[in-house]
Structures are given as structure tokens and as C-alpha cells.
Amino acid sequence: MNITVIGTGYVGLVAGCCFAESGNNVICVDKDNGKIEQLSKGHSTIYEPGLSELIERNLQAGRLTFTTDFRAAVQKSPVLFIAVGTPQIGGEPDLTAINAVATGIGEAINEFKVIVIKSTVPVGTTEKFGDIVRVKSNWSFDMISNPEFLKEGTAIDDFIKPNRIIIGIEDARSSTIVSSEIMKELYAPFTRTNSLILITDIRTAEMIKYASNTYLATKISFINELANLCEEVNADIEIVRRGMGLDARIGSSFLFPGLGFGGSCFQKDIKALISTGRQHHYQLRILEAVNQVNIDQRKRFIRKILNHFDQDIAGKRFAIWGLAFKPRTDDMREAPSVDIIESLLAADAEIIAYDPKAMSEAKQIFGSKIFLAKSAYDCLKDADALLLITEWQVFQNPNFQWMKSDMRSPVIFDGRNVFVPNQMRDLGFTYYGVGRK
Ligand code: NAD
């Protein structure tokens, strides 16, 4: 099948490559010239395990092309996937890119199209997208909402082995039945049984995405709040979370206490859903609290550091392990590291940081305001404390003797509960975890 994917970011690029890998001819279009130039040469613009190989292989096989020619890309394919960004400004989702794409499609459309919205958009947006296209053109088309659930760091695996495919279609008109069959066909290589595919109406499909992301964020803020209480009552959140997770009704995933969630999705999706609620005079009280707990979790970490240093960290040198918002990605959007580093810099501390993949992102964000180390150990030289912010595998079992000999003072603030408190104390470190006894 011929497919065009509009927007080649984390979602569009992965979707485009995976559809090409399963035999489709895929055109990926983006308005960013630099990105398209790099991708056309076979260079991935993001770090995502396995992605470079997919790009290279499918470019070579001629199944994957990259372009900035929006009009041609729209005209060449009967199926258009929209994966442009939907960031937030001032708590509201910014639909500028989505609306621009709708106008562009309206101007370029040349035959019947299946238009699939993969971006996360507020309830009602897919229908409005159709209205914009209709204003510009008389060609008929079907709108489909097909939210994406991949996770950065395991995006390819998530895409090719999805736990569900949500397809929201307009109604039961004959063309929409054909369109949903096209969607099933496209996803067939990734879904052995149709039971993974849930077909519903467009608004419900849009809501499923927000419901899923905000629920996961709720689990994280819940366990963080309990971790904070564990610190007050001298209980151990690591055992509490395991004890809870053994209950199949609760499950153990997304119950890891730490510095809270980051990334481009959870915060903006919570705010977007709160905003949708507000527009309909419904206050989403749980989600307001989830967001506030998440913001406070970073501040609490800073308070721990300040308390240790008697409120004065001017001139202190902090080694930071981990900058990406989570392991196995270079994405630093809304990463806890950014807020934490900014707070420390504001108090005149010195920062030296290391991340296995996010160093060039960090350079773009902080420029010369922080030092970037060549390795995890390089980071520790003369450090007054180590802050473990992202739980990359490479940080999990380090040589503690080397660390101690390099640091000015052996103090660790472990924002992800990677290390074992008793062991750290036996090794002579002053250790702070999150919610640990
Ligand atoms: P991104 O910012 O990485 O990529 C968006 C891309 O769209 C950019 O390359 C940008 O240049 C391009 N773009 C913007 N306007 C365009 C236009 N008019 N024409 C062509 N290209 C245009 O975003 P992302 O992280 O891939 O997210 C995309 C959407 O998917 C968002 O709605 C997001 O909420 C959702 N989502 C993201 C993830 C994730 O893990 N990143 C997971 C599931 C869903």
C-alpha cells in the first residue's frame, strides 16, 4: 500500500519505518529541511534503539522516501497518517501544526483519501480537521482517529508488537467500512489476531489515548506521594511498591518512585484533558493533583540537596548522571534533569553532567552553562555530590571504590532508587533515596 506520513518526529518516523518494513511504500514528509536532509542520507535524527537500521534498510529497498514536498506527498498516497506535534502553550494544546496540515491537505487533495490522525489530539479535533479540509476541497475523504501508544526507548518493539490498536471511525457508511478494512490490513503484520483491534467512534478513540496516558501518570504521582509519606513515617517505599504490585488488580508497572514523569506526553496530555474538562465545566480534580505532585517531586529533591548542604550550595560541584527524561532515549523534553539543573544553577552551583545519549540535546539546552563529561566516571572528579537522575543501565552497577576516590565528598542523591541504602552506607557514602528507610 502507498502511505504518506506527515511529521517525522518520534512517532511519525517510527510509524513510517515500521510500515515500510512490512512492505508498504512510505513517503515521510516534514517541514524541517534539516531533518529531511539527514534522513534522506540514512541518518536518524533521534536516538531510538533499532531505528537507524530500519531507516537504512528501507531506504535501500526503495520502500521509504523522505521529502519536504508536502503537496506531492499528499497526492501520491491514498492513506495519510498525521503525526505532527501537539505541544502545549499555557496549559492548552497547541493545534497550530495540526490545523496547518489540515489546510495543506485541503489544498492538495486530488482523490479520495483515508486521513488518519495519529497525533494525540483533544476530543473533537479529528472532526474539526475534517471540517478544515472540507472548506478547501470537494473531494471526499474518511477521517480516522488512530492514537499511538509507543514508548520512546522501546518504540519499534511497541509498534510492531502493540498491545492494542485503536481505530476511531466516523460512522458505518460504506466508505468508512472500507477505510477500517484498510487500517486492519496495514496493521495485520503487527496484530496476529483482530482481538487486538478495537474499533469505535472517533471521539471515544481520542479519549482512550488521554485516559491511558493520564492514568499511567496518576500511578506515578500516587507512588511518589506515598514515597514522601514513607520518608516521614520511616517505612520503605521499595518494599511497599513490591507488596502492592503483587496484587494482580494493581500490577507492578508504573509504580516506581522517583523524580516524577517527564517527556513530551504526560504533562501536556494531563493539561489538555484538564482543559477539555474546563471547557465542559467539569473539574478533573485527580489530574490537577497528579500534575501538582509531579511538579513538587522535583522541588522536594532540591530541598533534600539544600538541607544536606545547610541551604548553601554556591560553588558546590554536582555530578549529574542522566539527562534524558528516561533511559534509552535522547529526548529531554520536560525532563526532570532540566528543572533540577536550572534550580542548582540559580543557587550558583557548578554542574558537570553525563548521559549516554542526550549530550547533544543537553548542549543545545544549556550551552556553556554546564560542563559535559566524557564518561560517567569523568563526571565525578572533585564532585561534592552525585545526583542520579535517569536510571540508565550503565549507572546501575558502578565501581563504588573508584567513585569514592574521585569525589570530593561521597554523597549520593539517588533520584531513581537504583542503589541499595544499606550497601551504600557500608561503602561509606552518605545516601539519599526516595522514600527509603
Ligand atoms: P515531534 O515533535 O518529535 O515531531 C513532530 C514533527 O512534525 C516534527 O518533525 C515537525 O517538524 C513536524 N511538523 C510540524 N508541522 C508540520 C507540518 N505542517 N508539515 C510537516 N511536518 C510538520 O513529535 P512526536 O513526539 O513525534 O509526537 C507527535 C504526536 O504524537 C504528538 O501529538 C504526541 O503527543 C503524540 N505521541 C507522542 C509519543 C512520543 O513518545 N513521543 C507517543 C505517542 C503519541
Side-chain angles (χ1 to χ4, degrees):
M1 203 173 299
N2 291 343
I3 303 171
T4 287
V5 178
I6 301 173
T8 50
Y10 285 85
V11 168
L13 187 54
V14 169
C17 287
C18 292
F19 281 135
E21 181 76 0
S22 56
N24 301 289
N25 294 315
V26 180
I27 303 172
C28 285
V29 59
D30 203 286
K31 63 175 189 177
D32 184 328
N33 279 314
K35 258 186 198 180
I36 293 301
E37 217 169 275
Q38 268 210 61
L39 290 165
S40 302
K41 289 183 198 150
H43 303 153
S44 183
T45 42
I46 52 173
Y47 172 73
E48 186 60 48
L51 187 58
S52 296
E53 293 83 341
L54 276 189
I55 295 172
E56 224 169 279
R57 190 162 55 240
N58 286 287
L59 268 175
Q60 270 170 18
R63 289 190 297 263
L64 183 62
T65 50
F66 295 99
T67 182
T68 51
D69 188 343
F70 185 93
R71 188 178 179 81
V74 167
Q75 293 188 341
K76 281 183 187 160
S77 305
V79 184
L80 311 175
F81 277 86
I82 320 300
V84 296
T86 49
Q88 47 143 335
I89 352 174
E92 303 289 325
D94 177 4
L95 299 177
T96 313
I98 283 282
N99 293 339
V101 170
T103 306
I105 291 177
E107 287 164 356
I109 189 169
N110 58 333
E111 59 180 353
F112 174 81
K113 303 280 179 194
V114 178
I115 304 175
V116 187
I117 306 287
K118 213 164 219 336
S119 301
T120 304
V121 291
V123 175
T125 307
T126 304
E127 289 162 5
K128 283 190 197 137
F129 191 104
D131 294 342
I132 297 174
V133 178
R134 239 169 256 119
V135 167
K136 295 272 167 193
S137 164
N138 290 325
W139 283 104
S140 63
F141 56 87
D142 276 346
M143 289 305 305
I144 291 191
S145 166
N146 171 224
E148 181 52 56
F149 298 96
L150 63 76
K151 302 181 291 303
E152 289 175 24
T154 53
I156 292 168
D157 229 36
D158 292 342
F159 199 91
I160 61 177
K161 292 180 218 147
N163 49 27
R164 80 280 214 201
I165 302 291
I166 305 296
I167 297 173
I169 56 174
E170 257 171 305
D171 54 37
R173 281 184 295 116
S174 55
S175 71
T176 54
I177 292 170
V178 173
S179 299
S180 64
E181 286 309 313
I182 289 174
M183 292 295 284
K184 283 187 199 163
E185 202 181 306
L186 274 174
Y187 280 108
F190 316 127
T191 50
R192 283 226 185 122
T193 63
N194 274 354
S195 61
L196 286 180
I197 299 181
L198 177 63
I199 297 189
T200 179
D201 64 90
I202 287 178
R203 285 175 174 245
T204 305
E206 290 170 329
M207 187 58 113
I208 289 170
K209 174 64 190 176
Y210 282 101
S212 305
N213 267 10
T214 57
Y215 182 70
L216 293 174
T218 302
K219 282 185 94 175
I220 296 172
S221 278
F222 177 82
I223 202 71
N224 277 335
E225 198 150 60
L226 288 200
N228 298 342
L229 185 60
C230 280
E231 285 178 4
E232 303 303 326
V233 301
N234 199 22
D236 189 338
I237 192 66
E238 285 301 317
I239 313 294
V240 171
R241 101 177 151 72
R242 276 161 54 199
M244 284 172 70
L246 288 170
D247 183 333
R249 294 169 304 174
I250 298 172
S252 57
S253 62
F254 279 74
L255 280 182
F256 291 92
L259 296 170
F261 47 83
S264 66
C265 293
F266 282 6
Q267 282 183 48
K268 85 167 167 68
D269 293 350
I270 287 174
K271 286 183 180 166
L273 204 55
I274 289 173
S275 161
T276 301
R278 207 181 299 120
Q279 284 163 24
H280 293 84
H281 312 291
Y282 189 82
Q283 189 185 359
L284 288 157
R285 289 156 296 172
I286 292 176
L287 292 186
E288 285 173 355
V290 167
N291 193 39
Q292 198 52 52
V293 168
N294 197 55
I295 293 168
D296 291 348
Q297 200 64 8
R298 298 173 189 191
K299 292 186 183 156
R300 190 176 168 94
F301 190 66
I302 295 290
R303 278 203 300 278
K304 266 185 205 165
I305 297 168
L306 286 170
N307 287 343
H308 175 86
F309 290 101
D310 290 331
Q311 312 305 319
D312 183 11
I313 55 169
K316 297 280 181 221
R317 187 175 169 91
F318 291 99
I320 306 248
W321 279 6
L323 295 162
F325 86 90
K326 66 173 179 177
R328 292 162 66 87
T329 180
D330 58 356
D331 196 345
M332 285 182 67
R333 289 179 288 184
E334 308 292 341
S337 66
V338 177
D339 280 351
I340 289 165
I341 290 173
E342 271 166 3
S343 302
L344 298 175
L345 287 176
D348 293 325
E350 195 177 278
I351 305 293
I352 176 151
Y354 175 75
D355 186 284
K357 292 290 171 195
M359 298 301 259
S360 53
E361 281 298 306
K363 185 130 198 88
Q364 279 187 31
I365 295 170
F366 292 110
S368 57
K369 287 199 278 182
I370 66 171
F371 299 103
L372 294 175
K374 290 197 178 68
S375 70
Y377 292 111
D378 189 32
C379 211
L380 298 172
K381 193 105 197 87
D382 296 331
D384 291 290
L386 164 67
L387 317 185
L388 199 155
I389 309 285
T390 317
E391 67 279 29
W392 284 91
Q393 200 85 43
V394 67
F395 301 143
Q396 309 230 350
N397 207 5
N399 185 322
F400 290 108
Q401 296 305 342
W402 286 6
M403 289 170 65
K404 235 173 101 186
S405 63
D406 272 350
M407 294 174 75
R408 188 176 293 144
S409 54
V411 182
I412 296 180
F413 295 89
D414 179 355
R416 300 294 176 181
N417 285 354
V418 165
F419 304 134
V420 182
N422 289 344
Q423 244 175 38
M424 299 313 296
R425 272 173 218 124
D426 291 349
L427 286 161
F429 285 90
T430 303
Y431 175 83
Y432 297 89
V434 179
R436 311 300 302 269
K437 208 167 153 121

